[in-house]
Short mmCIF file of all heavy atoms in Angstrom, two decimals:
data_model
loop_
_atom_site.label_atom_id
_atom_site.label_comp_id
_atom_site.label_asym_id
_atom_site.label_seq_id
_atom_site.Cartn_x
_atom_site.Cartn_y
_atom_site.Cartn_z
N SER X 1 -13.89 -167.77 -76.11
CA SER X 1 -14.71 -167.22 -75.05
C SER X 1 -14.64 -165.70 -75.11
O SER X 1 -13.78 -165.13 -75.78
CB SER X 1 -14.24 -167.72 -73.68
OG SER X 1 -12.91 -167.31 -73.41
N GLY X 2 -15.55 -165.05 -74.39
CA GLY X 2 -15.51 -163.60 -74.27
C GLY X 2 -16.58 -162.85 -75.03
O GLY X 2 -16.73 -161.64 -74.85
N GLY X 3 -17.33 -163.53 -75.87
CA GLY X 3 -18.39 -162.86 -76.59
C GLY X 3 -19.57 -162.54 -75.70
O GLY X 3 -19.65 -162.98 -74.55
N GLY X 4 -20.48 -161.74 -76.23
CA GLY X 4 -21.66 -161.37 -75.48
C GLY X 4 -22.28 -160.10 -76.01
O GLY X 4 -21.97 -159.65 -77.11
N LEU X 5 -23.15 -159.53 -75.20
CA LEU X 5 -23.86 -158.30 -75.53
C LEU X 5 -23.14 -157.11 -74.92
O LEU X 5 -22.82 -157.12 -73.73
CB LEU X 5 -25.30 -158.36 -75.02
CG LEU X 5 -26.15 -157.11 -75.20
CD1 LEU X 5 -26.37 -156.81 -76.67
CD2 LEU X 5 -27.48 -157.29 -74.48
N VAL X 6 -22.91 -156.09 -75.72
CA VAL X 6 -22.22 -154.90 -75.26
C VAL X 6 -22.86 -153.68 -75.91
O VAL X 6 -23.36 -153.75 -77.03
CB VAL X 6 -20.71 -154.97 -75.56
CG1 VAL X 6 -20.46 -155.00 -77.06
CG2 VAL X 6 -19.95 -153.84 -74.90
N GLN X 7 -22.85 -152.56 -75.21
CA GLN X 7 -23.40 -151.32 -75.75
C GLN X 7 -22.44 -150.68 -76.74
O GLN X 7 -21.22 -150.88 -76.66
CB GLN X 7 -23.69 -150.33 -74.63
CG GLN X 7 -24.81 -150.76 -73.70
CD GLN X 7 -25.10 -149.72 -72.64
OE1 GLN X 7 -24.21 -149.02 -72.18
NE2 GLN X 7 -26.37 -149.61 -72.25
N PRO X 8 -22.95 -149.91 -77.69
CA PRO X 8 -22.06 -149.16 -78.57
C PRO X 8 -21.07 -148.32 -77.77
O PRO X 8 -21.43 -147.69 -76.77
CB PRO X 8 -23.00 -148.29 -79.38
CG PRO X 8 -24.29 -149.04 -79.38
CD PRO X 8 -24.37 -149.69 -78.03
N GLY X 9 -19.83 -148.32 -78.22
CA GLY X 9 -18.77 -147.63 -77.51
C GLY X 9 -18.09 -148.47 -76.45
O GLY X 9 -17.05 -148.05 -75.92
N GLY X 10 -18.64 -149.62 -76.15
CA GLY X 10 -18.07 -150.48 -75.14
C GLY X 10 -16.94 -151.34 -75.67
O GLY X 10 -16.53 -151.23 -76.83
N SER X 11 -16.46 -152.23 -74.81
CA SER X 11 -15.32 -153.06 -75.13
C SER X 11 -15.57 -154.51 -74.74
O SER X 11 -16.32 -154.81 -73.82
CB SER X 11 -14.06 -152.58 -74.38
OG SER X 11 -13.71 -151.26 -74.75
N LEU X 12 -14.92 -155.40 -75.46
CA LEU X 12 -14.89 -156.81 -75.15
C LEU X 12 -13.51 -157.34 -75.48
O LEU X 12 -12.83 -156.81 -76.36
CB LEU X 12 -15.92 -157.60 -75.96
CG LEU X 12 -17.39 -157.49 -75.59
CD1 LEU X 12 -18.23 -158.24 -76.63
CD2 LEU X 12 -17.65 -158.06 -74.20
N ARG X 13 -13.12 -158.40 -74.80
CA ARG X 13 -11.91 -159.11 -75.15
C ARG X 13 -12.24 -160.56 -75.41
O ARG X 13 -12.75 -161.26 -74.53
CB ARG X 13 -10.83 -159.01 -74.06
CG ARG X 13 -9.49 -159.59 -74.53
CD ARG X 13 -8.38 -159.43 -73.53
NE ARG X 13 -8.47 -160.39 -72.44
CZ ARG X 13 -7.43 -160.78 -71.70
NH1 ARG X 13 -6.23 -160.28 -71.93
NH2 ARG X 13 -7.61 -161.65 -70.72
N LEU X 14 -11.95 -161.01 -76.61
CA LEU X 14 -12.14 -162.39 -76.99
C LEU X 14 -10.87 -163.18 -76.75
O LEU X 14 -9.77 -162.67 -76.97
CB LEU X 14 -12.54 -162.52 -78.46
CG LEU X 14 -13.75 -161.70 -78.92
CD1 LEU X 14 -14.04 -162.00 -80.38
CD2 LEU X 14 -14.96 -161.97 -78.05
N SER X 15 -11.03 -164.42 -76.33
CA SER X 15 -9.90 -165.31 -76.12
C SER X 15 -10.10 -166.58 -76.93
O SER X 15 -11.22 -167.03 -77.12
CB SER X 15 -9.76 -165.68 -74.64
OG SER X 15 -9.52 -164.55 -73.84
N CYS X 16 -9.01 -167.14 -77.37
CA CYS X 16 -9.02 -168.39 -78.11
C CYS X 16 -7.87 -169.23 -77.61
O CYS X 16 -6.70 -168.89 -77.85
CB CYS X 16 -8.90 -168.12 -79.61
SG CYS X 16 -8.73 -169.60 -80.63
N ALA X 17 -8.18 -170.30 -76.91
CA ALA X 17 -7.18 -171.13 -76.27
C ALA X 17 -7.13 -172.50 -76.93
O ALA X 17 -8.17 -173.15 -77.09
CB ALA X 17 -7.45 -171.28 -74.79
N ALA X 18 -5.96 -172.94 -77.28
CA ALA X 18 -5.78 -174.27 -77.85
C ALA X 18 -5.76 -175.32 -76.76
O ALA X 18 -5.25 -175.10 -75.66
CB ALA X 18 -4.48 -174.34 -78.64
N SER X 19 -6.34 -176.47 -77.06
CA SER X 19 -6.42 -177.55 -76.09
C SER X 19 -5.07 -178.19 -75.81
O SER X 19 -4.92 -178.89 -74.80
CB SER X 19 -7.39 -178.63 -76.57
OG SER X 19 -6.96 -179.18 -77.80
N GLU X 20 -4.11 -177.97 -76.66
CA GLU X 20 -2.78 -178.48 -76.49
C GLU X 20 -1.83 -177.60 -77.27
O GLU X 20 -2.26 -176.76 -78.08
CB GLU X 20 -2.67 -179.93 -76.97
CG GLU X 20 -3.03 -180.12 -78.43
CD GLU X 20 -3.17 -181.57 -78.82
OE1 GLU X 20 -4.26 -182.14 -78.62
OE2 GLU X 20 -2.17 -182.15 -79.31
N SER X 21 -0.56 -177.78 -77.05
CA SER X 21 0.43 -176.99 -77.78
C SER X 21 0.32 -177.24 -79.27
O SER X 21 0.13 -178.38 -79.71
CB SER X 21 1.83 -177.32 -77.29
OG SER X 21 2.00 -176.97 -75.93
N ILE X 22 0.44 -176.18 -80.02
CA ILE X 22 0.42 -176.27 -81.47
C ILE X 22 1.81 -175.93 -81.99
O ILE X 22 2.37 -174.89 -81.64
CB ILE X 22 -0.62 -175.32 -82.08
CG1 ILE X 22 -2.01 -175.64 -81.53
CG2 ILE X 22 -0.61 -175.42 -83.60
CD1 ILE X 22 -3.09 -174.69 -82.00
N PHE X 23 2.31 -176.80 -82.81
CA PHE X 23 3.65 -176.62 -83.34
C PHE X 23 3.60 -176.13 -84.78
O PHE X 23 2.63 -176.35 -85.50
CB PHE X 23 4.44 -177.93 -83.25
CG PHE X 23 4.64 -178.42 -81.85
CD1 PHE X 23 3.83 -179.42 -81.32
CD2 PHE X 23 5.63 -177.88 -81.04
CE1 PHE X 23 4.01 -179.87 -80.03
CE2 PHE X 23 5.82 -178.32 -79.74
CZ PHE X 23 5.00 -179.32 -79.23
N ARG X 24 4.66 -175.50 -85.19
CA ARG X 24 4.82 -175.01 -86.56
C ARG X 24 3.70 -174.06 -86.95
O ARG X 24 3.14 -174.15 -88.04
CB ARG X 24 4.91 -176.18 -87.53
CG ARG X 24 6.07 -177.13 -87.25
CD ARG X 24 6.12 -178.26 -88.27
NE ARG X 24 7.24 -179.16 -88.01
CZ ARG X 24 7.17 -180.24 -87.23
NH1 ARG X 24 6.04 -180.55 -86.62
NH2 ARG X 24 8.24 -180.99 -87.05
N VAL X 25 3.40 -173.13 -86.06
CA VAL X 25 2.38 -172.13 -86.33
C VAL X 25 2.88 -171.13 -87.36
O VAL X 25 3.99 -170.61 -87.25
CB VAL X 25 1.97 -171.41 -85.04
CG1 VAL X 25 1.04 -170.24 -85.35
CG2 VAL X 25 1.29 -172.37 -84.08
N LEU X 26 2.05 -170.86 -88.34
CA LEU X 26 2.34 -169.84 -89.33
C LEU X 26 1.63 -168.53 -89.03
O LEU X 26 2.25 -167.46 -89.06
CB LEU X 26 1.94 -170.33 -90.73
CG LEU X 26 2.67 -171.56 -91.25
CD1 LEU X 26 2.05 -172.02 -92.56
CD2 LEU X 26 4.15 -171.27 -91.41
N ASN X 27 0.34 -168.61 -88.77
CA ASN X 27 -0.47 -167.43 -88.51
C ASN X 27 -1.51 -167.74 -87.45
O ASN X 27 -1.98 -168.87 -87.33
CB ASN X 27 -1.20 -166.96 -89.77
CG ASN X 27 -0.31 -166.85 -90.97
OD1 ASN X 27 0.59 -166.00 -91.01
ND2 ASN X 27 -0.55 -167.70 -91.96
N MET X 28 -1.90 -166.71 -86.72
CA MET X 28 -3.03 -166.78 -85.81
C MET X 28 -3.90 -165.57 -86.12
O MET X 28 -3.39 -164.46 -86.26
CB MET X 28 -2.60 -166.77 -84.35
CG MET X 28 -1.57 -167.84 -84.02
SD MET X 28 -1.01 -167.81 -82.29
CE MET X 28 -2.44 -168.54 -81.49
N GLY X 29 -5.20 -165.79 -86.22
CA GLY X 29 -6.04 -164.68 -86.61
C GLY X 29 -7.47 -164.79 -86.14
O GLY X 29 -7.90 -165.81 -85.60
N TRP X 30 -8.20 -163.70 -86.36
CA TRP X 30 -9.61 -163.61 -86.05
C TRP X 30 -10.38 -163.24 -87.31
O TRP X 30 -9.95 -162.36 -88.07
CB TRP X 30 -9.89 -162.57 -84.96
CG TRP X 30 -9.39 -162.97 -83.61
CD1 TRP X 30 -8.18 -162.68 -83.05
CD2 TRP X 30 -10.10 -163.73 -82.64
NE1 TRP X 30 -8.10 -163.22 -81.79
CE2 TRP X 30 -9.26 -163.87 -81.51
CE3 TRP X 30 -11.37 -164.32 -82.60
CZ2 TRP X 30 -9.65 -164.57 -80.37
CZ3 TRP X 30 -11.75 -165.01 -81.47
CH2 TRP X 30 -10.90 -165.13 -80.37
N TYR X 31 -11.49 -163.91 -87.51
CA TYR X 31 -12.39 -163.66 -88.61
C TYR X 31 -13.80 -163.47 -88.05
O TYR X 31 -14.09 -163.86 -86.93
CB TYR X 31 -12.38 -164.83 -89.59
CG TYR X 31 -11.03 -165.06 -90.25
CD1 TYR X 31 -9.98 -165.63 -89.56
CD2 TYR X 31 -10.82 -164.70 -91.59
CE1 TYR X 31 -8.75 -165.84 -90.16
CE2 TYR X 31 -9.60 -164.90 -92.19
CZ TYR X 31 -8.57 -165.47 -91.47
OH TYR X 31 -7.35 -165.67 -92.08
N ARG X 32 -14.66 -162.87 -88.84
CA ARG X 32 -16.04 -162.73 -88.42
C ARG X 32 -16.98 -162.94 -89.60
O ARG X 32 -16.60 -162.79 -90.76
CB ARG X 32 -16.29 -161.36 -87.78
CG ARG X 32 -16.17 -160.18 -88.74
CD ARG X 32 -16.26 -158.88 -87.97
NE ARG X 32 -16.10 -157.73 -88.86
CZ ARG X 32 -15.86 -156.50 -88.45
NH1 ARG X 32 -15.76 -156.24 -87.14
NH2 ARG X 32 -15.74 -155.51 -89.33
N GLN X 33 -18.21 -163.28 -89.26
CA GLN X 33 -19.19 -163.58 -90.29
C GLN X 33 -20.58 -163.18 -89.81
O GLN X 33 -20.95 -163.42 -88.66
CB GLN X 33 -19.16 -165.06 -90.64
CG GLN X 33 -19.99 -165.44 -91.86
CD GLN X 33 -19.68 -166.84 -92.33
OE1 GLN X 33 -19.29 -167.70 -91.56
NE2 GLN X 33 -19.86 -167.07 -93.63
N VAL X 34 -21.33 -162.57 -90.72
CA VAL X 34 -22.73 -162.26 -90.48
C VAL X 34 -23.55 -162.99 -91.52
O VAL X 34 -23.04 -163.34 -92.60
CB VAL X 34 -23.00 -160.74 -90.53
CG1 VAL X 34 -22.21 -160.02 -89.45
CG2 VAL X 34 -22.66 -160.17 -91.90
N PRO X 35 -24.83 -163.24 -91.26
CA PRO X 35 -25.65 -163.96 -92.24
C PRO X 35 -25.65 -163.30 -93.60
O PRO X 35 -25.79 -162.08 -93.72
CB PRO X 35 -27.04 -163.93 -91.60
CG PRO X 35 -26.78 -163.84 -90.13
CD PRO X 35 -25.57 -162.96 -90.02
N GLY X 36 -25.47 -164.11 -94.64
CA GLY X 36 -25.49 -163.61 -96.00
C GLY X 36 -24.20 -162.99 -96.47
O GLY X 36 -24.13 -162.50 -97.61
N LYS X 37 -23.19 -162.97 -95.62
CA LYS X 37 -21.91 -162.36 -95.97
C LYS X 37 -20.80 -163.40 -95.90
O LYS X 37 -20.90 -164.40 -95.19
CB LYS X 37 -21.57 -161.21 -95.03
CG LYS X 37 -22.59 -160.09 -94.99
CD LYS X 37 -22.53 -159.24 -96.23
CE LYS X 37 -23.44 -158.03 -96.09
NZ LYS X 37 -23.38 -157.16 -97.29
N GLN X 38 -19.74 -163.14 -96.64
CA GLN X 38 -18.56 -163.98 -96.54
C GLN X 38 -17.84 -163.75 -95.23
O GLN X 38 -17.88 -162.65 -94.67
CB GLN X 38 -17.59 -163.69 -97.69
CG GLN X 38 -18.05 -164.15 -99.06
CD GLN X 38 -16.96 -163.98 -100.10
OE1 GLN X 38 -16.18 -163.03 -100.06
NE2 GLN X 38 -16.90 -164.90 -101.05
N ARG X 39 -17.19 -164.78 -94.75
CA ARG X 39 -16.35 -164.62 -93.59
C ARG X 39 -15.19 -163.70 -93.95
O ARG X 39 -14.56 -163.85 -95.01
CB ARG X 39 -15.84 -165.99 -93.12
CG ARG X 39 -15.14 -165.97 -91.78
CD ARG X 39 -14.87 -167.39 -91.28
NE ARG X 39 -16.10 -168.12 -91.05
CZ ARG X 39 -16.15 -169.34 -90.52
NH1 ARG X 39 -15.04 -169.96 -90.16
NH2 ARG X 39 -17.32 -169.95 -90.35
N GLU X 40 -14.91 -162.73 -93.10
CA GLU X 40 -13.89 -161.75 -93.41
C GLU X 40 -12.82 -161.68 -92.33
O GLU X 40 -13.08 -161.95 -91.15
CB GLU X 40 -14.51 -160.36 -93.60
CG GLU X 40 -15.13 -159.77 -92.36
CD GLU X 40 -15.65 -158.36 -92.57
OE1 GLU X 40 -15.51 -157.81 -93.67
OE2 GLU X 40 -16.20 -157.78 -91.60
N LEU X 41 -11.65 -161.29 -92.75
CA LEU X 41 -10.53 -161.15 -91.84
C LEU X 41 -10.73 -159.93 -90.96
O LEU X 41 -11.04 -158.84 -91.44
CB LEU X 41 -9.23 -161.02 -92.62
CG LEU X 41 -7.98 -160.74 -91.79
CD1 LEU X 41 -7.61 -161.95 -90.96
CD2 LEU X 41 -6.81 -160.34 -92.69
N VAL X 42 -10.52 -160.12 -89.67
CA VAL X 42 -10.53 -159.02 -88.71
C VAL X 42 -9.10 -158.62 -88.36
O VAL X 42 -8.75 -157.44 -88.40
CB VAL X 42 -11.30 -159.39 -87.44
CG1 VAL X 42 -11.22 -158.27 -86.41
CG2 VAL X 42 -12.75 -159.72 -87.77
N ALA X 43 -8.29 -159.60 -88.00
CA ALA X 43 -6.91 -159.33 -87.62
C ALA X 43 -6.11 -160.61 -87.73
O ALA X 43 -6.64 -161.70 -87.53
CB ALA X 43 -6.83 -158.79 -86.19
N ILE X 44 -4.84 -160.47 -88.04
CA ILE X 44 -3.97 -161.63 -88.15
C ILE X 44 -2.58 -161.26 -87.68
O ILE X 44 -2.13 -160.12 -87.90
CB ILE X 44 -3.94 -162.18 -89.59
CG1 ILE X 44 -3.19 -163.50 -89.68
CG2 ILE X 44 -3.36 -161.15 -90.55
CD1 ILE X 44 -3.38 -164.22 -91.01
N ILE X 45 -1.92 -162.19 -87.05
CA ILE X 45 -0.53 -162.02 -86.65
C ILE X 45 0.25 -163.20 -87.19
O ILE X 45 -0.12 -164.36 -86.98
CB ILE X 45 -0.38 -161.85 -85.12
CG1 ILE X 45 1.09 -161.65 -84.75
CG2 ILE X 45 -0.98 -163.03 -84.37
CD1 ILE X 45 1.28 -161.17 -83.31
#
């Protein structure tokens, strides 16, 4: 959740909530994709 339309210079906060507890997590991250491009890493923890 949290996506939408924003003006240049503005801010948004995206959230990603799991439906249940996830065990043995290695990484959590965000990726993005535009048409005709490969999905790319934005951030990972």
Side-chain angles (χ1 to χ4, degrees):
S1 62
L5 176 65
V6 64
Q7 293 183 327
S11 298
L12 286 174
R13 188 176 77 156
L14 306 183
S15 298
C16 174
S19 61
E20 60 190 85
S21 296
I22 302 176
F23 298 99
R24 301 181 179 90
V25 172
L26 297 173
N27 311 293
M28 307 178 76
W30 290 92
Y31 297 75
R32 67 187 178 194
Q33 190 167 28
V34 299
K37 302 286 187 179
Q38 290 187 325
R39 190 170 297 185
E40 66 176 359
L41 175 69
V42 176
I44 188 168
I45 181 167

